[in-house]
Amino acid sequence: MKIEIRNLTKRFDGVTAVNNLSLTLEGGKITGIVGPNGSGKTTLVNLLSGFLPIDGGTVILDDAIAVKKIRPHKIKSYGITRTFQDIRLFEQMSVMDNILVVLTERNLWCALFECHNPGHLQKAEEVLRMIDLWDKRDEPASSLSYGQRKLLEIGRAVSMEARVYLFDEPFAGLFPGMAGIVESILKQLRNQGCAVVLIEHDMDLIRGLTDYVFVLDSGVLLAEGRPHEVLRDRKVVEAYIGN
Amino acid sequence: MDILTQLVINGIIAGAIYTLIALGFNLIYGATKFFNIAHGVFAAIGGYTVFFFFKLSGAALVPSILAGVLLAGIAGMLSDKLVFLPLRRKRGSSVIMLVASLGLFTALQAVIAIMFSNRFQTLTDIFNIQKTYQIFSGVITRIHIVIIITVVSLTIGLFLMLNRTKFGKAVKAISDDDEVARIIGIDTDRVIGYVFFIGSAIAGLGGILIGFDTGIMPTMGMGLLLKGVIASIVGGVGNIYGSVCGGLLLGFVENFGVWKISGEWKDAIAFGLLIIFLLFRPQGVLGK
Amino acid sequence: MKKTAKIIIGVVAAVMVVSAAYVHSMSKKPVVKDTFKIGMIAPLTGDAGFVGVGMKNALLMAREQWGDGRYNYEFVFEDDQLDPKLSASAAQKLLNVDKVDAIVTVGHAPRITVPLARQHDIIHFAIAVQKDIPDGVNNFTHWAPSVKLNGLLIKEMQKRGIKKVGVFRTTSLEAWVAYYNDFLDGIKNTDIRVVTDQTFKKGEKDFRSLIARAKPTNPDIYLIFVETPELEIVAKQIREAGINTPFTTLEGFEVTEQPELFEGYWYVSPVEPSEEFSKAYEARFGKRPPVCSPNAYDIFNLLATAVERAGSSPSKKPATEQIVRELKKIKSFPGALGDLLVSDNGMVMSGVQLKMIKNGKPVALEH
Ligand SMILES: Nc1ncnc2c1ncn2[C@@H]1O[C@H](COP(=O)(O)OP(=O)(O)OP(=O)(O)O)[C@@H](O)[C@H]1O
Ligand SMILES: [Mg+2]
C-alpha cells in the first residue's frame, strides 16, 4: 500500500494550514509526522480521511487511483482508517458494540435481519483482549477511563482491517502499561505490511518506533528522512524551540 | 363503573396513540438531530391512503392498510431525499431544517386537502359503534386493543432492531457521531433514508389506526405532532423508550387532569407538563 | 292668407316642439343604475363548507328571482373556513378593498363584524343567535331566537318527564355558549336539573374521560351542544362506553351524516323553510336547501326591499341610515322562513319546531 500526496493545500480563512505539501506514505513502515502545535498535522489527517474538503492537490492511491475529492464513507473502501486527537467513540454503545459496528457488510436486508456471525464475535473478542478491555465488553463506552477510551478507539481502527492507519497522537496521556499495548499494535500493523502514520510530539517515541519522518512547520514540509538524522537537523530543532 | 379504572384505561389508550407518533419522531430525531415537523403529515397520508383504497375504491382492508403504511414510508423517505438530505449536505442549521420541515408539512397538508377536501372523514362505513370489552370495571373498544398491541409490538420490534441488528447499530452510530460513522464505512445518507422510511411508516400506521378509531382530516397531523413532540420531550428526546414513557405519562396526566378540571383544559394541561419538564428536567424522564 | 299664415305658424311651432323634444331627449344620457354591493363571510370549504355554499346559492337564487330592480346587486363571497382569523381578514377585505354596502355573516364572523359595521356605517346581517349582536342601527340578525328554541326543548323535556340532564358542550363557539346559558335560565323554575356539565374545546377527539366522569350521574338524557364532527364522535364514544341514554340537541341532528347514531331521538330546530323556497332551491341546485340558506334568501329579499324603497334615484343608492329606516318599517314580510317581522332592535325572528330522526331522516313532530 502506498499513498502519494501531491501539492496538497488547505486554507482556512487567513491560515493556510497545509501548504502545497507533497509526501509519500509507504506500506510496511511506520511514518512519523512531527511539527510544532498548529503546524497542520491533524489537518493533513482530516484531508486524507475526507473530514475536510481538499482545496488543491491530488492524492494518489497505489500508483493507480488519483483522487481530488475524498468522501468520508469511501475511505473504508480505499483501505484508510484513522483515530482522533480528541477521542471520538460511540458513547451510547457498549464497548463490544463499538467494535462490532465496524465489522459489518452494509447490505440492507442482511443488516436488518441478520445478527452478527460467529466470525465477527471472534474478531471482536480478539481485538478486545489485545487492548485489555474484554472484561469491560458490556459496559457503555462512556464509562471508560481516558486511557481505556484511547485504546478502544485504536481497537476500533484495528478492527477495520485497513491498509493505511492514521494515528493522531495515540500515546498522548497514556500510562506506560497502556502505551506498551499501543506500541505493540503499531509494530504488528507494520509487520502486516500496512502503512502506519504516527503523529507524535514525544521525540523518543519517534526515534524508537518510526522508520521515516516528515517534519511540518506552518503547513509546509520542513525536512524528511530517517528519524535520527532529521531530528538532529538545525532547522527542525529551531522550529521546535522557536515555537 | 369505577371511574379510576376507566381513567387508567383511557390514559393507556391516549398514551398509546401519542407513543405511535413519538416513536417515529424520536427515531428520526435520534439520527438527524432536528425537529421534523413534517412528521405529523405522514399520519394523514397513511389515513387518507386507506380512505382512498378501502372506503372510496372498495379495496380489501389488509392491502389498503399495507398501501397506507408503505406510502407514508415512501413519502417520508422522499422528503429526506428531496428536502432534508440536500440541506444536510449544505450543512443547513437545525433551524433551517425545522423551517423546511414546517414548509413541507404545510405543502403536503394542502395537497391532501385539495385531493380530499378539508372535511372530517371516517374510515369505516358509518360511525360504527366498536365492539367493547370489559376490563375490571372499565370498558375498552376493539380498535383500542389493536392500537395498544400495535404499540407494544412496534416498541419491541424497534428495540430488537436497534440493539440486535447491524442496521440498528449503524443507526445508533449515526445518532452518536455521524462523522465517525461515515469513516467506519456507514453510508449515513442511505441509513438515514431508511430511518425516515421506518419512522414515517409508523406515523402512517398511527394515522390509519386513529382513522379507524375516530376519523381523519387533512389537518390531523399538527395536533398529533404536537402531542407526539410533547411525549418525546417529556420521555427524553431521541430516545425510543422515552417515547413510550412520555406518551404514557402525557396520556395519564391529561386524562386524570380532566377528571378534576374541565375538559377544555386538556391541551393546557399537556403544554403545562411540557413546560414543567423544559424547566426542571429538560433531558426528559429517561434522559439520553 | 290668414289661414295660410296660421298653418305655417302651426307647422313651424309643431316642428319646433318636436325638434326641441328631440334635442332634449338626445341631450339626456341613458340612466346608469347604481350598484349595491353585498359581501358574505361564511365557511365555503371544510366540515361546515356546505353551510356557506348553501347561503351563496340562496343569495344568487334570490337575486335571479328579484330580476331587474332599481339597482344592481353585486356579491362578494369570502370563505373563512369557520376560523376567526380568516373571518377577521375577510371582513377587512370586504370593507377596505371591495367597499361593500352590506355584509352577511355566520359562525365566528358576526361577532367580529359588529364593531366594523358600526365603524364603516354599513348594514350587517348575521345568521346568529346571540342576543347582543343586533342593535337596530347597523347590525341585524335573522335566526330562530335561542329563547324560543330552548323554550320548546324544555317543554318537551317536561312533557317526557325528563329530570336529569347530562350536558356535553363546546365552549369554543359563542353560539353554543349562548344556547346553554339560555337553557340554564329556562330550567330555573322547573324540576329539570343539569347533573353533569362536560365542556371541551372544538377539535377535541377523545371524550372518554369526560364520559367516565358523566356516567355515574345517570342522566335521563344527554344534551349535546356541538356541531359535526364532534357531535358524532361524542355520541359514538358515549355508546362505546356502554351508555344507552338518549341524546338531544338544538339543530344538530339536522345536518349529521351519521343519522344512525341519532335514530328515534327528538330535538328542536328552527322551522322548516317554505315548500316554495325548498322546491325552487332543489330545482335550481339539485339538493335540499341546507341550514342557513333560507335565512340568506330572506336577508337578500329584506335588504333589496328596503334599498329600493329608500332609494330616490336609480343613479344613487340610498344611505345606510335610510335603508335601515325602511328595513325597520317591515312588519309583515312573506319569507322563506314564514311571516317575517323586523324588530326595532334589529332582530328578524323565525319560528321553531320539534323534530325527530326517523329512518335516518329528520321529520317534524306535532306539538
Ligand atoms: N476547522 C478549522 N477551521 C479553522 N482553522 C483550523 C481548523 N482546523 C485547523 N485550523 C487551523 O489550522 C492550523 C493547523 O492546525 P492543526 O490542528 O492541523 O495543527 P496540528 O499540527 O495538529 O497541531 P497540534 O500539534 O496542536 O495538534 C492551525 O492554525 C489551526 O488553528
Ligand atoms: Mg493536531
Side-chain angles (χ1 to χ4, degrees):
Chain A
M1 182 70 197
K2 184 174 158 194
I3 292 188
E4 203 181 329
I5 294 160
R6 282 207 196 136
N7 310 99
L8 199 65
T9 299
K10 179 72 201 173
R11 279 178 289 269
F12 299 109
D13 6 59
V15 196
T16 307
V18 170
N19 195 352
N20 215 15
L21 186 71
S22 300
L23 53 84
T24 304
L25 307 171
E26 276 170 42
K29 279 185 182 165
I30 298 179
T31 308
I33 297 187
V34 300
N37 293 112
S39 55
K41 306 183 294 292
T42 298
T43 305
L44 176 63
V45 171
N46 283 342
L47 291 173
L48 290 179
S49 57
F51 256 60
L52 289 172
I54 296 170
D55 287 346
T58 318
V59 176
I60 299 162
L61 306 167
D62 282 331
D63 294 319
I65 318 157
V67 277
K68 287 188 180 295
K69 203 169 181 182
I70 300 179
R71 289 200 175 281
H73 70 268
K74 282 279 160 66
I75 69 162
K76 188 186 184 193
S77 64
Y78 298 153
I80 301 175
T81 190
R82 68 170 290 185
T83 66
F84 294 84
Q85 197 172 342
D86 50 341
I87 311 160
R88 288 171 82 165
L89 294 173
F90 298 119
E91 307 286 347
Q92 287 180 61
M93 294 191 201
S94 68
V95 169
M96 181 75 163
D97 280 350
N98 262 278
I99 302 296
L100 281 176
V101 72
V102 302
L103 299 171
T104 303
E105 302 91 48
R106 299 290 162 201
N107 172 304
L108 178 72
W109 288 108
C110 289
L112 264 183
F113 297 108
E114 201 187 288
C115 301
H116 289 284
N117 64 36
H120 291 156
L121 296 172
Q122 199 187 330
K123 171 80 189 172
E125 178 173 352
E126 195 181 297
V127 170
L128 286 178
R129 284 196 188 286
M130 181 168 71
I131 57 176
D132 206 13
L133 284 177
W134 177 243
D135 294 338
K136 301 234 174 221
R137 60 187 177 277
D138 290 327
E139 290 183 22
S142 52
S143 72
L144 298 181
S145 74
Y146 174 84
Q148 288 168 331
R149 291 161 60 77
K150 199 114 202 164
L151 284 174
L152 181 57
E153 198 193 24
I154 293 166
R156 185 179 69 197
V158 171
S159 324
M160 297 270 296
E161 300 186 319
R163 294 178 302 152
V164 179
Y165 289 84
L166 309 169
F167 290 112
D168 198 350
E169 306 196 15
F171 293 99
L174 289 190
F175 290 114
M178 287 179 169
I181 296 175
V182 178
E183 206 177 310
S184 67
I185 289 174
L186 261 54
K187 284 179 177 157
Q188 201 179 321
L189 290 171
R190 170 177 57 191
N191 297 342
Q192 287 164 8
C194 300
V196 180
V197 171
L198 172 63
I199 297 178
E200 187 51 59
H201 284 292
D202 183 336
M203 292 307 145
D204 291 336
L205 275 170
I206 291 289
R207 277 190 205 95
L209 269 175
T210 62
D211 304 297
Y212 202 80
V213 177
F214 292 102
V215 185
L216 299 189
D217 188 24
S218 306
V220 296
L221 189 60
L222 192 68
E224 64 177 295
R226 304 181 62 79
H228 290 279
E229 294 151 19
V230 169
L231 295 182
R232 248 184 275 127
D233 190 326
R234 258 191 95 76
K235 283 185 293 183
V236 175
V237 176
E238 270 169 16
Y240 263 93
I241 293 167
N243 191 264
Chain B
M1 178 180 66
D2 176 5
I3 188 165
L4 275 174
T5 318
Q6 189 64 50
L7 287 180
V8 169
I9 294 173
N10 293 348
I12 293 174
I13 295 167
I17 290 172
Y18 301 151
T19 305
L20 265 177
I21 303 302
L23 275 176
F25 178 83
N26 262 341
L27 189 67
I28 293 172
Y29 180 88
T32 56
K33 299 289 180 296
F34 83 98
F35 269 48
N36 182 18
I37 306 286
H39 190 66
V41 89
F42 301 114
I45 289 179
Y48 273 92
T49 308
V50 172
F51 176 70
F52 178 78
F53 285 114
F54 179 61
K55 192 149 175 212
L56 295 186
S57 317
L61 180 64
V62 174
S64 303
I65 292 178
L66 282 179
V69 172
L70 213 64
L71 207 73
I74 291 170
M77 192 157 154
L78 280 179
S79 76
D80 178 53
K81 295 282 178 245
L82 301 178
V83 181
F84 303 126
L85 177 61
L87 284 174
R88 273 202 303 280
R89 288 234 167 100
K90 286 186 184 152
R91 297 184 180 270
S93 69
S94 54
V95 176
I96 291 176
M97 304 281 274
L98 183 102
V99 173
S101 70
L102 184 63
L104 188 70
F105 176 90
T106 319
L108 289 178
Q109 182 173 301
V111 170
I112 297 175
I114 290 164
M115 287 170 69
F116 296 99
S117 96
N118 261 329
R119 303 205 45 188
F120 182 83
Q121 312 272 13
T122 51
L123 289 185
T124 40
D125 228 6
I126 47 164
F127 266 92
N128 68 333
I129 312 288
Q130 289 279 334
K131 191 169 162 38
T132 59
Y133 301 89
Q134 194 82 22
I135 296 184
F136 301 111
S137 51
V139 288
I140 188 164
T141 64
R142 196 168 47 187
I143 185 78
H144 292 141
I145 295 176
V146 173
I147 289 177
I148 292 169
I149 291 173
T150 308
V151 169
V152 171
S153 358
L154 278 174
T155 310
I156 295 174
L158 281 178
F159 174 85
L160 291 177
M161 187 196 84
L162 284 176
N163 291 296
R164 296 288 159 78
T165 69
K166 300 178 200 167
F167 177 77
K169 292 211 173 76
V171 173
K172 275 182 148 183
I174 292 171
S175 160
D176 249 343
D177 190 332
D178 63 317
E179 286 184 317
V180 177
R182 228 169 269 168
I183 62 154
I184 65 165
I186 296 173
D187 187 345
T188 54
D189 294 341
R190 249 182 59 193
V191 173
I192 289 177
Y194 295 134
V195 165
F196 266 90
F197 178 87
I198 296 168
S200 307
I202 295 174
L205 184 59
I208 294 167
L209 291 171
I210 290 162
F212 279 108
D213 179 21
T214 47
I216 54 173
M217 280 175 101
T219 51
M220 68 194 283
M222 192 43 95
L224 287 174
L225 177 89
L226 284 177
K227 293 293 168 71
V229 171
I230 296 176
S232 304
I233 293 175
V234 166
V237 70
N239 186 321
I240 296 299
Y241 325 110
S243 324
V244 184
C245 275
L248 282 177
L249 187 61
L250 180 61
F252 275 103
V253 169
E254 274 189 353
N255 280 283
F256 278 85
V258 297
W259 179 29
K260 290 295 171 199
I261 326 169
S262 72
E264 67 253 65
W265 286 92
K266 203 165 166 184
D267 286 347
I269 293 169
F271 282 97
L273 182 71
L274 174 70
I275 289 167
I276 290 172
F277 266 83
L278 287 177
L279 285 176
F280 300 110
R281 200 175 160 80
Q283 74 274 37
V285 179
L286 295 189
K288 176 86 207 199
Chain C
M1 183 61 197
K2 231 181 169 182
K3 208 178 178 182
T4 318
K6 267 184 184 168
I7 288 170
I8 291 170
I9 293 168
V11 169
V12 170
V15 168
M16 276 172 68
V17 167
V18 169
S19 56
Y22 182 73
V23 168
H24 180 77
S25 77
M26 282 300 287
S27 71
K28 199 174 155 194
K29 295 205 177 74
V31 181
V32 177
K33 281 197 214 171
D34 202 357
T35 299
F36 188 81
K37 261 194 184 179
I38 303 173
M40 180 187 93
I41 309 174
L44 291 167
T45 57
D47 280 319
F50 70 96
V51 175
V53 172
M55 287 167 62
K56 180 180 171 181
N57 289 343
L59 287 174
L60 292 170
M61 188 171 90
R63 184 175 66 182
E64 277 164 28
Q65 292 178 357
W66 189 264
D68 199 24
R70 289 185 74 187
Y71 300 98
N72 288 323
Y73 297 94
E74 200 181 298
F75 296 123
V76 185
F77 300 107
E78 293 292 330
D79 177 14
D80 72 352
Q81 297 171 21
L82 219 59
D83 175 348
K85 287 190 291 292
L86 295 179
S87 314
S89 55
Q92 292 297 349
K93 177 185 171 278
L94 288 177
L95 290 165
N96 297 318
V97 180
D98 302 308
K99 305 213 183 300
V100 295
D101 303 294
I103 298 185
V104 182
T105 62
V106 74
H108 291 286
R111 175 69 64 210
I112 290 160
T113 312
V114 165
L116 296 171
R118 287 194 196 121
Q119 195 186 325
H120 291 255
D121 193 27
I122 58 143
I123 298 173
H124 168 216
F125 241 113
I127 303 179
V129 65
Q130 296 93 306
K131 283 172 287 189
D132 57 336
I133 283 184
D135 55 17
V137 182
N138 295 103
N139 297 288
F140 293 80
T141 54
H142 181 21
W143 190 251
S146 159
V147 175
K148 268 203 208 170
L149 287 165
N150 273 301
L152 185 53
L153 181 82
I154 294 164
K155 206 173 113 197
E156 187 64 20
M157 284 183 174
Q158 286 173 315
K159 205 171 104 189
R160 292 178 183 253
I162 289 163
K163 301 224 159 47
K164 296 194 290 177
V165 179
V167 180
F168 277 84
R169 64 191 177 96
T170 178
T171 50
S172 305
L173 223 71
E174 234 189 294
W176 291 117
V177 177
Y179 274 156
Y180 184 65
N181 290 335
D182 287 338
F183 177 75
L184 289 183
D185 283 349
I187 60 170
K188 250 173 206 156
N189 296 315
T190 69
D191 53 0
I192 298 171
R193 281 179 304 125
V194 171
V195 289
T196 178
D197 172 25
Q198 299 299 335
T199 53
F200 49 86
K201 289 206 313 200
K202 184 116 183 73
E204 182 60 63
K205 300 279 185 287
D206 178 0
F207 302 97
R208 295 182 191 93
S209 290
L210 302 183
I211 293 165
R213 274 170 78 185
K215 194 174 180 182
T217 63
N218 268 323
D220 302 325
I221 200 163
Y222 278 108
L223 179 62
I224 310 179
F225 276 177
V226 69
E227 64 279 355
T228 202
E230 286 84 353
L231 172 68
E232 290 85 353
I233 298 174
V234 172
K236 172 179 180 257
Q237 293 185 358
I238 289 177
R239 290 289 173 265
E240 286 177 352
I243 302 171
N244 289 313
T245 312
F247 305 125
T248 190
T249 186
L250 297 178
E251 304 170 38
F253 302 162
E254 200 81 11
V255 296
T256 184
E257 287 185 356
Q258 261 69 40
E260 302 88 347
L261 277 169
F262 307 105
E263 182 62 33
Y265 296 144
W266 62 271
Y267 62 101
V268 175
S269 83
V271 71
E272 285 278 301
S274 69
E275 266 309 292
E276 195 188 341
F277 169 78
S278 299
K279 281 208 177 111
Y281 188 99
E282 206 169 343
R284 174 78 170 69
F285 302 107
K287 270 191 206 134
R288 299 286 298 162
V291 63
C292 293
S293 62
N295 306 68
Y297 179 84
D298 283 349
I299 288 171
F300 178 84
N301 285 320
L302 288 168
L303 267 177
T305 303
V307 169
E308 310 230 331
R309 283 183 189 163
S312 48
S313 145
S315 62
K316 193 175 182 310
K317 61 191 168 195
T320 298
E321 193 195 345
Q322 294 166 299
I323 301 170
V324 167
R325 201 179 307 132
E326 287 302 328
L327 205 50
K328 290 201 285 193
K329 280 187 199 158
I330 299 175
K331 295 299 170 198
S332 175
F333 187 91
L337 289 170
D339 188 39
L340 304 177
L341 171 151
V342 184
S343 78
D344 278 347
N345 61 358
M347 287 210 260
V348 183
M349 300 185 200
S350 51
V352 299
Q353 65 184 353
L354 192 65
K355 286 180 141 183
M356 185 179 269
I357 301 290
K358 277 191 182 157
N359 301 321
K361 294 231 156 45
V363 293
L365 293 182
E366 298 298 326
H367 64 276

